[in-house]
Amino acid sequence: NAELAAWGGQNVSVKSKDPAMFLANPALLHDEMHKVASLSYMPYLENVKMYSLVAAAEVGKIGPIALGFKYLNYGTLDERAEDATFLGTFRSNDYAITLGKSYTIGTITLGANAKFLGSELASYRAHAWAIDAGALFTHPEHPFTFGIAVKNLGRVYKSYTNTSTDSLPFNVQMGVSYKFEHAPVRLYLTTHTLNRWDIAYNDPDFS
């Protein structure tokens, strides 16, 4: 969504009233999001479009819950043979349905998300279940927060093909945030992929 994009695309420590932030860390879900919805639409390169819809509410003794839907549409693509002969067109999309819950004990908020993930590529389908878990510490006197999130604990139960070895992108993230009391400035630091030390990638332009 727009706010998370403004934070660099990944942030597990900044509290706001945007319910879509619970997708980044389920512990960011809180009671001030009661009856608040967030709708995002992002046109991307070519015909690629991303949509997200999130709503949150405070439900009696259950506490804050949220439901989110994300949909990524890659548009219409050309299907070609190995010699580039045009065979027709096909469509491709990814989507995720997320249900989140949080619980606050003093200065600590704990949260969890349950996710159903799906992907379609022409006639191929893949599905997976996953959970996210998070925690957030909010300082009782100063505008300081510390958050941690463990994402995509789960498994792919249907792969594109019988020989596929698909896996979920397991990710451990940690971050801190501090807002200056007398200035409209907030500093934050987010670390990601803490479960894997070497996150280098192959750069084809590097020799």
Side-chain angles (χ1 to χ4, degrees), residues 13 137-146 175-179 186:
S13 61
F137 166 75
T138 303
H139 197 282
E141 299 178 0
H142 303 287
F144 170 82
T145 55
F146 169 80
V176 295
S177 170
Y178 180 79
K179 184 181 183 305
R186 182 190 298 273

Side-chain angles (χ1 to χ4, degrees), residues 27 35 38 42 44 67 75 88 104 119 130 134 147 155 180:
K35 293 185 178 180
S38 173
M42 183 181 73
Y44 201 53
L67 181 65
T104 300
S119 181
R155 62 183 295 269
F180 292 98

Side-chain angles (χ1 to χ4, degrees), residues 5-193:
W7 291 117
Q10 300 183 84
N11 196 303
V12 297
S13 61
V14 173
K15 294 183 68 175
S16 80
K17 294 184 179 180
D18 187 340
M21 292 296 289
F22 97 99
L23 298 173
N25 181 357
L28 293 178
L29 178 64
H30 55 85
D31 54 5
E32 292 186 19
M33 297 176 179
H34 180 53
K35 293 185 178 180
V36 178
S38 173
L39 174 65
S40 294
Y41 166 71
M42 183 181 73
Y44 201 53
L45 299 174
E46 296 294 337
N47 293 322
V48 179
K49 298 178 177 63
M50 179 179 286
Y51 309 83
S52 71
L53 175 62
V54 176
E58 180 89 7
V59 183
K61 296 181 179 180
I62 298 176
I65 62 171
L67 181 65
F69 177 71
K70 293 178 67 176
Y71 180 74
L72 178 59
N73 183 0
Y74 296 96
T76 302
L77 307 173
D78 291 342
E79 181 179 1
R80 297 182 181 274
E82 293 180 357
D83 61 357
T85 301
F86 179 73
L87 301 177
T89 61
F90 66 93
R91 301 186 66 82
S92 178
N93 58 77
D94 297 330
Y95 56 91
I97 302 173
T98 306
L99 177 65
K101 170 75 178 74
S102 70
Y103 182 72
T104 300
I105 310 171
T107 59
I108 303 294
T109 300
L110 304 176
N113 290 341
K115 303 188 292 187
F116 174 74
L117 311 171
S119 181
E120 300 181 1
L121 178 62
S123 60
Y124 299 96
R125 304 286 187 272
H127 298 107
W129 289 97
I131 61 172
D132 300 338
L136 182 75
F137 166 75
T138 303
H139 197 282
E141 299 178 0
H142 303 287
F144 170 82
T145 55
F146 169 80
I148 184 170
V150 179
K151 299 183 178 180
N152 298 318
L153 284 164
R155 62 183 295 269
V156 178
Y157 71 89
K158 178 178 172 51
S159 297
Y160 289 115
T161 66
N162 294 332
T163 58
S164 298
T165 57
D166 302 319
S167 61
L168 296 178
F170 180 67
N171 196 340
V172 178
Q173 300 180 347
M174 188 181 302
V176 295
S177 170
Y178 180 79
K179 184 181 183 305
F180 292 98
E181 187 174 358
H182 301 293
V185 177
R186 182 190 298 273
L187 298 179
Y188 75 95
L189 172 68
T190 301
T191 58
H192 63 87
T193 326

